[in-house]
Amino acid sequence: MDNNKRTIAIVCGGDSSEHDVSLRSGQGLCSFFDKERYNIYIVDVKGIDWHVAFDDGTTAEIDKNDFSFVKDGKREFFDYAYITIHGQPGENGVMQGYFDLIHMPYSTSGVLVEAMTFDKYVLNNYLRGFGVKVADSILLRRGEAYDEEAIAKRIGMPCFVKPAADGSSFGVSKVKESDQLAPALRLAFMESEEAMVEAYMQGVEISQGIYKTKDKCVVLPATEVVTTNEFFDYDAKYNGHSQEICPAPIDDSMSGHIQEVSKRIYSQLGCAGVVRMDYILAEDGLYFLEVNTIPGMTSASLVPKMIRTAGLDITDFLTGIIENS
């Protein structure tokens, strides 16, 4: 290993249903990073099994006391962690808390931001207080009694049922009749202790990438997401049943509005690194859906497409994320 280079851990895996998706993001990042500048290792995290995966197929256990590992009889230490865990413990603040404790710089927002953005219901109600338009929603907890007809009357049909605290597309259902709420909630509760029933917003789905340099927030080209599925679910995202149009075919005025809303949210929350914000552009305005603080980073993912459309070199882009951290 070249000791003149910084050593970077691409931290992926995690404990959610998107473990394997996260591993693909890790491989994507590994292919993008500047190998002349950095020593790169993929660290697979699952439960208490944390290990470095070497190119020859062997592994080395991570010492959680200091996030080090042994290679060829020598203990190696990381200088930086690029977190690409989708779901827990990467998107809920737990991994960030660990790195804070051992004083390891990392690529994402801090503990509070990650915890808040991980809980869709908490985030939506927080942002509503700052004038951000969000759909009406109800929070339900596992084991809690609920009235299907009362929910249908309040939220309307169709609606969405989502795990409230989860970073993936698993457990999400589009519900068209009140008698479909129970199975949809059971599915959501398989992913999270809490579920959110959210009003359906008819419109165009827009995704906006944004990051921060040392001086300012920078927006990437917005993307329109089109799918033949009922919604942009796991199958649409990862099995080719969607079309991502980048840049999105929207007028300059609306594009500027989405950019300004995204910058305001990014700054209000105190985000760090590159994030993706999702919206529905409805007839009566722009509705915020969620913040993805650890977006997918395979070559087919939305953010790398936005980076390429912006005319940026993705290797230079990621170098900037690290150096700005």
Side-chain angles (χ1 to χ4, degrees):
M1 184 172 68
D2 186 344
N3 290 323
N4 293 319
K5 300 179 183 179
R6 289 197 182 110
T7 301
I8 309 296
I10 300 175
V11 186
C12 54
D15 303 324
S16 79
S17 300
E18 283 196 294
H19 176 272
D20 290 349
V21 175
S22 172
L23 293 183
R24 294 204 294 272
S25 282
Q27 293 289 346
L29 283 164
C30 188
S31 70
F32 297 145
F33 275 125
D34 185 349
K35 309 302 192 303
E36 297 298 316
R37 181 186 288 261
Y38 305 116
N39 297 307
I40 306 294
Y41 292 97
I42 290 179
V43 177
D44 187 350
V45 169
K46 188 171 179 62
I48 60 172
D49 177 18
W50 299 14
H51 61 265
V52 178
F54 299 125
D55 292 338
D56 63 2
T58 61
T59 63
E61 184 181 358
I62 289 287
D63 184 338
K64 301 180 188 67
N65 290 301
D66 54 14
F67 203 61
S68 65
F69 66 100
V70 175
K71 181 181 181 183
D72 299 328
K74 181 184 176 184
R75 185 159 297 278
E76 305 288 354
F77 296 89
F78 289 106
D79 298 301
Y80 183 87
Y82 196 106
I83 305 172
T84 187
I85 295 174
H86 310 315
Q88 57 186 342
E91 277 185 308
N92 61 355
V94 172
M95 187 62 69
Q96 289 78 6
Y98 164 76
F99 285 129
D100 283 345
L101 284 171
I102 64 169
H103 304 289
M104 173 76 68
Y106 50 85
S107 59
T108 69
S109 307
V111 174
L112 179 59
V113 177
E114 293 294 333
M116 184 182 296
T117 55
F118 191 67
D119 192 311
K120 299 177 180 69
Y121 184 79
V122 168
L123 178 63
N124 282 12
N125 282 279
Y126 175 78
L127 291 177
R128 183 185 281 117
F130 292 93
V132 177
K133 264 183 123 168
V134 296
D136 192 17
S137 60
I138 294 173
L139 182 71
L140 297 173
R141 294 181 174 87
R142 187 184 293 166
E144 187 175 73
Y146 59 89
D147 185 326
E148 293 177 353
E149 295 303 324
I151 292 174
K153 184 176 180 180
R154 157 83 181 272
I155 299 297
M157 292 289 161
C159 66
F160 280 103
V161 174
K162 306 174 178 180
D166 186 70
S168 77
S169 303
F170 289 93
V172 181
S173 303
K174 184 177 179 181
V175 173
K176 299 179 180 179
E177 304 290 342
S178 59
D179 61 1
Q180 297 174 355
L181 275 169
L185 285 165
R186 283 196 294 271
L187 187 66
F189 287 136
M190 291 175 65
E191 304 291 333
S192 172
E193 293 286 332
E194 298 177 334
M196 181 171 74
V197 183
E198 184 179 52
Y200 171 70
M201 305 306 302
Q202 177 71 43
V204 177
E205 184 161 352
I206 300 292
S207 193
Q208 177 73 71
I210 182 169
Y211 65 102
K212 190 174 184 180
T213 66
K214 290 186 183 298
D215 304 316
K216 60 182 179 179
C217 288
V218 181
V219 290
L220 296 168
T223 300
E224 179 183 343
V225 178
V226 181
T227 178
T228 54
N229 291 7
E230 283 279 4
F231 59 96
F232 193 45
D233 57 4
Y234 180 89
D235 180 58
K237 284 182 182 179
Y238 301 115
N239 294 327
H241 295 160
S242 67
Q243 181 185 7
E244 295 89 32
I245 306 168
C246 186
I250 53 179
D251 61 48
D252 291 344
S253 175
M254 179 52 67
S255 177
H257 176 57
I258 295 171
Q259 290 178 13
E260 288 309 310
V261 171
S262 299
K263 288 179 182 179
R264 182 155 57 92
I265 292 172
Y266 191 103
S267 297
Q268 181 63 49
L269 292 173
C271 293
V274 60
V275 307
R276 200 189 76 230
M277 299 184 189
D278 297 334
Y279 301 91
I280 291 292
L281 181 54
E283 286 188 2
D284 63 338
L286 183 71
Y287 285 82
F288 169 84
L289 288 179
E290 63 179 343
V291 174
N292 189 329
T293 59
I294 303 182
M297 291 300 288
T298 69
S299 60
S301 297
L302 286 174
V303 167
K305 287 181 180 179
M306 295 175 188
I307 293 169
R308 290 193 294 269
T309 301
L312 301 174
D313 179 84
I314 194 165
T315 297
D316 293 340
F317 176 87
L318 291 169
T319 297
I321 294 292
I322 293 173
E323 298 304 321
N324 281 323
S325 301

